[in-house]
Amino acid sequence: MKKVLLSLMLLVACIATEAKVIKITLTDGTYKVFTSSELSAIDFKDDGTLLITTYDGQQLPALAADFDQVSVGDEATFSEEFNDTLSFNIDADGIPVDLKSKRPIVKMNYVYPSTDPFGEPVTLSGTILVPDNIWKGEAASEGILMVNHYTKFHRDEAPTISNGELENMLLANPLNPNYIIVESDFYGFGSTVRFPQAFMQGMVNARASLDGLLAARELLDAKGFQYGPLLFNIGYSSGGFDALASQKLRDKEYADRISFDKTFSGGGPSDVREAYRQYVEVDSTAYNAVPLLLMVCTNETQKLNIPYSEVFQPYICDRIDELILSKAYSSWPVCDIIGREKKIHEILSDTYCDLKSPESKFMQELFASFSMTNDDWTPDPSQRIYLFHSRGDDYVPIQSARPMIEFLRSKGFEPSIIPGRTNLQTNFVVRDMGHLSATLVYFIQTLAAIKAWPLMYRDGQLNPIYQSLVSQDVDIVAQMRQLDAMGIDCRSIAKSIVNKIAGGEGGESGEGSSIDMMTVAMLLQQQLEKAGITQEELFEMTSDSGIDLGQFIFDLIVYFSEQPETDGDDTQTIDEEEDSTEQQPAPARRAARLIKALNTTSTPVANYEQQLRNWLKDYLK
């Protein structure tokens, strides 16, 4: 009778709430920590032991003698530790990258309280990766890397079960940075694997990351670990979206407990609605399992109850449980089952491929509410953000990533490709890399930043020497004018270079030398065509990265339209028609001519970029 009662008590504890965990000692003397969602059945065997059956069908024998000691209670106190090894061995768009670099770590899996997509208490799971040299006290940790994992499909891809490529790259690279990684499984994996995952549901995953970080700090503190002063928020692909969501939620609700030194978001959409629209309009993606995952996870976590027969083509809707909800497949097998060559209209129903249908409009509005570019967020100006996206990304459309730059601009953040110049560092000039190979660029820039941070920053402030360096704008035209004042004829030099590029004779330096802007425009067009870049894209990509190409070219036009000064010109007047007696040095006269040139342009100077675009279009027809 006691066994029956105990069994009933335990089963009630298992099914009553998601906010409880159970610690059970196994027959080999080890113990496991389970949440209620992981356990399917608990049975007594004739030999006096227990047989624990998990949700995924795994059977584990446990000691019946310890059954009375089964602990149901405060989930944050439970963790498991075991040795593991990270390896820098990845595959980027079919190109294997193996640096033969390995690093031993101690992996601590833990469970912690948070909330589910519906605002109810839930027990989530996460992992802490501690490099072995830090664990043994041979090196000090410089800080924590809060990693937001990228797109997962299979249950065994959860961070508590297997280590992803980003984790390997961050800690197992040859530089061996001394940081600790903290990473949540997110809702739908690990302790909550029986539920649909919250893919692209930004605030749900953000809360999982931030609550997981707070719980990890408590756990490390309890174990006496000094985890270091720095904290970076990192994510690529859907993890890049979740990193932005974590920054947003931090600013709104966690600012009193969490402050990021920098958020590194790469390869993710900031505008989910635009990603959906691009998938439908282009009717293609190299990763066609993602639109399927997006629609299913949104339907499930938002409790829309839309029949899948209305969302997908018949050959897919009948297999949703198998392909997505069971978490029995990784992403590429799902793509293979769908058919990698399948277009979006062969996956989604006609209704959801029609962007003007009421059903599609409803879904678009819902996706818009997930996006990071809504005005329900005023970014904290003290926080630093890095945005990266390849223009050749074949998984996540560039159009769904760019809105974040304009949003942050509207909130006072000015982009710059140079780290530390402003609080918004951007890199949108990488063109020819796909989604996976561009991960390497993102990783290198992120690694360089976290490795150099202790040298570049002191108590959160830029090193004064570096600050003085990056705070100065590099004004090439101003430098050319300075060279002119020193007697170096930059116009003639530029003319000679242009003529040589054009296949003509080198220009002769001397009085009256100028440059043929028509030739420059033609050469520019030729180079753009070779690179497969349009004029609009050139301006867009440089502007996104904080490079004011329009201003630079306009300044060049003004510079080359000026009449060069001749030797012995120091006594010439600024404008003999206006003042035949005023004498000034050459630099002052040069500045006056520049002001006059700017004031007499046919279009207001404030509209110089559009003026330049129109000018280029006219000459390049």
Side-chain angles (χ1 to χ4, degrees), residues 78-100:
F78 292 107
S79 66
E80 295 178 286
E81 302 169 7
F82 51 92
N83 296 323
D84 201 354
T85 301
L86 297 178
S87 301
F88 197 117
N89 183 358
I90 65 172
D91 187 295
D93 287 334
I95 303 173
V97 179
D98 187 358
L99 297 186
K100 309 295 183 184

Side-chain angles (χ1 to χ4, degrees), residues 186 198 245-246 277 298 368 383 418 427 503 609:
F186 289 161
S246 294
R277 293 177 64 88
T298 301
Q383 299 287 281
I418 300 174
N427 185 350
E609 185 168 343

Side-chain angles (χ1 to χ4, degrees), residues 536-595:
E536 288 75 12
E537 185 182 15
L538 177 65
F539 278 92
E540 183 180 272
M541 64 197 292
T542 53
S543 176
D544 286 346
S545 300
I547 303 169
D548 199 339
L549 185 63
Q551 178 71 69
F552 170 65
I553 297 179
F554 182 75
D555 288 346
L556 278 180
I557 293 172
V558 173
Y559 170 75
F560 285 117
S561 66
E562 296 172 0
Q563 290 298 318
E565 297 183 5
T566 60
D567 292 338
D569 190 33
D570 289 349
T571 59
Q572 187 177 345
T573 60
I574 297 174
D575 190 331
E576 294 182 352
E577 293 182 0
E578 294 181 6
D579 187 349
S580 59
T581 60
E582 184 177 2
Q583 307 288 320
Q584 292 204 16
R589 291 199 309 278
R590 189 175 299 112
R593 281 201 306 276
L594 174 60
I595 293 173

Side-chain angles (χ1 to χ4, degrees), residues 391-402:
R391 302 186 74 84
D393 195 313
D394 50 352
Y395 290 10
V396 181
I398 183 72
Q399 295 87 344
S400 67
R402 293 190 62 249

Side-chain angles (χ1 to χ4, degrees), residues 16-32:
T17 175
E18 272 299 309
K20 297 295 182 182
V21 296
I22 301 162
K23 179 181 177 182
I24 299 177
T25 303
L26 305 179
T27 53
D28 63 1
T30 64
Y31 70 86
K32 287 284 185 181

Side-chain angles (χ1 to χ4, degrees), residues 207-310:
R207 195 172 299 281
S209 280
L210 298 179
D211 287 345
L213 172 65
L214 294 175
R217 282 175 168 175
E218 291 182 6
L219 188 57
L220 290 169
D221 285 338
K223 293 180 177 295
F225 270 98
Q226 299 296 318
Y227 44 78
L230 300 178
L231 175 61
F232 298 104
N233 173 27
I234 295 173
Y236 189 80
S237 194
S238 63
F241 173 80
D242 291 324
L244 288 176
S246 294
Q247 181 68 68
K248 176 178 179 176
L249 188 61
R250 175 267 165 200
D251 291 353
K252 296 182 68 169
E253 298 183 24
Y254 290 73
D256 59 333
R257 291 169 288 172
I258 295 173
S259 180
F260 297 123
D261 287 282
K262 196 166 188 174
T263 286
F264 294 89
S265 171
S270 58
D271 189 330
V272 184
R273 172 171 56 182
E274 188 58 31
Y276 166 75
R277 293 177 64 88
Q278 287 294 316
Y279 286 140
V280 171
E281 289 176 354
V282 178
D283 197 27
S284 179
T285 173
Y287 200 29
N288 60 13
V290 165
L292 174 62
L293 185 66
L294 174 62
M295 300 298 281
V296 171
C297 292
T298 301
N299 192 32
E300 298 291 336
T301 57
Q302 297 297 316
K303 293 186 175 181
L304 302 179
N305 298 317
I306 302 174
Y308 287 117
S309 59
E310 297 178 8

